């Protein structure tokens, strides 16, 4: 199995631009998670999908952030407009069923907003 | 929410056992204790998990106190490759239980 796939691996953009991060979960996994990691706050959950449906988006910082999961094999996290404080590493993870099971993380997308 | 607290950093001599503590005093009965580690800037990697019994696998052992308010991850013979950030988290059936925080940075010293 290829594991969780994220793209791009690195993204540098200017403030105000739209940023789209992509994730392909492990085949057969029904749950998908988006995390943000910074030095100050550590690893924070942004949003969690189960069977393509958003279950908990309470971690999404503000309206500039949105996430979709149009099918079981693809999800996007969009930031519009981006700000320098959004600079972080964004991880996607998947699990077979639900938040109470082992999560498998992707390699992350390192985002720098200038 | 079952938040966890861990010391920010620890050192361990190579070849010795590394014992990493975690406090999860608000854990509920249906939440598992999970341990992950993150090497450099890679994605976190699953190590081990347990509910109330001690667990062991090829990577580590997990000791959970009887009241389940704390646990210890044991790396029996630490190597330089075990230098990483270790996260303890309590995972239940709801996403509001998900909390990784900043973990413990373990440095294995030659």
């Amino acid at each position: 199995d290829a594991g969780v796939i994220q793209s791009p691996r690195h993204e540098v953009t200017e403030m105000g631009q739209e940023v789209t991060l992509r994730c392909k979960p492990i085949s057969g996994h029904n749950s998908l998670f988006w995390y943000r990691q910074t030095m100050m706050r550590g690893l924070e959950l942004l949003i969690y999908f189960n069977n393509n449906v958003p279950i908990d988006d309470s971690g999404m910082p503000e309206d500039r952030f949105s996430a979709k999961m149009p099918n079981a094999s693809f999800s996007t996290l969009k930031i519009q407009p981006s700000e320098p404080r959004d600079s972080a590493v964004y991880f996607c993870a998947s699990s077979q069923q639900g938040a109470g099971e082992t999560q498998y993380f992707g390699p992350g997308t390192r985002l720098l907003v200038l | 929410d079952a938040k966890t607290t861990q010391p920010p950093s620890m050192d361990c001599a190579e070849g010795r056992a590394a014992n990493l503590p975690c406090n999860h005093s608000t854990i509920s009965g249906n939440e598992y204790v999970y341990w992950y580690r993150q090497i450099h800037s890679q994605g976190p990697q699953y190590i081990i998990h347990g509910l109330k019994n001690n667990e062991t696998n090829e990577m580590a052992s997990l000791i959970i106190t009887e009241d389940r308010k704390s646990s210890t991850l044991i790396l029996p013979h630490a190597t330089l490759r075990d230098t990483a950030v270790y996260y303890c988290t309590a995972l239940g059936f709801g996403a509001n239980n998900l909390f990784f925080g900043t973990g413990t940075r373990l440095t294995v010293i030659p």
Side-chain angles (χ1 to χ4, degrees):
Chain A
D1 200 321
V4 175
I5 299 172
Q6 291 186 247
S7 65
R9 294 293 307 276
H10 302 273
E11 177 80 27
V12 180
T13 190
E14 293 186 345
M15 182 174 63
Q17 297 298 306
E18 178 179 295
V19 175
T20 299
L21 311 182
R22 297 173 177 79
C23 176
K24 177 179 169 57
I26 292 173
S27 177
H29 282 193
N30 294 329
S31 298
L32 183 140
F33 310 82
W34 281 101
Y35 290 88
R36 178 173 65 177
Q37 185 172 42
T38 60
M39 290 290 291
M40 292 299 295
R41 299 176 66 87
L43 194 59
E44 301 176 282
L45 176 69
L46 299 176
I47 189 169
Y48 152 50
F49 291 87
N50 194 43
N51 294 322
N52 312 336
V53 176
I55 303 299
D56 185 348
D57 64 355
S58 58
M60 295 286 264
E62 48 198 272
D63 292 344
R64 297 185 298 107
F65 285 68
S66 62
K68 294 182 179 179
M69 192 164 186
N71 56 62
S73 59
F74 183 66
S75 177
T76 59
L77 177 67
K78 186 175 294 186
I79 308 172
Q80 167 63 20
S82 58
E83 297 182 1
R85 60 189 168 126
D86 301 329
S87 298
V89 181
Y90 291 82
F91 288 104
C92 175
S94 69
S95 71
Q96 279 195 317
Q97 186 68 41
E101 296 203 2
T102 302
Q103 296 180 35
Y104 296 86
F105 284 77
T109 295
R110 188 173 296 274
L111 173 65
L112 177 61
V113 182
L114 301 174
Chain B
D1 293 356
K3 300 275 193 223
T4 59
T5 55
Q6 301 175 253
S9 65
M10 292 181 64
D11 292 338
C12 177
E14 186 178 17
R16 304 296 293 271
N19 298 286
L20 291 87
C22 179
N23 180 287
H24 33 79
S25 58
T26 60
I27 195 171
S28 63
N30 64 354
E31 290 178 327
Y32 286 78
V33 178
Y34 271 81
W35 283 83
Y36 290 77
R37 74 178 181 185
Q38 187 174 25
I39 297 174
H40 295 302
S41 55
Q42 299 175 21
Q45 173 194 24
Y46 166 79
I47 300 173
I48 197 168
H49 74 285
L51 185 62
K52 52 184 176 181
N53 296 323
N54 297 337
E55 302 288 344
T56 296
N57 63 20
E58 65 278 5
M59 292 180 69
S61 295
L62 174 61
I63 307 298
I64 303 174
T65 58
E66 192 169 342
D67 62 9
R68 300 205 335 119
K69 293 185 176 182
S70 65
S71 62
T72 301
L73 178 75
I74 301 172
L75 307 178
H77 305 287
T79 70
L80 298 179
R81 289 176 296 180
D82 292 323
T83 292
V85 177
Y86 288 78
Y87 296 95
C88 163
T89 185
L91 298 182
F93 298 103
N96 60 341
N97 298 323
L98 284 169
F99 177 77
F100 280 85
T102 54
T104 296
R105 181 174 297 278
L106 175 69
T107 302
V108 180
I109 303 169

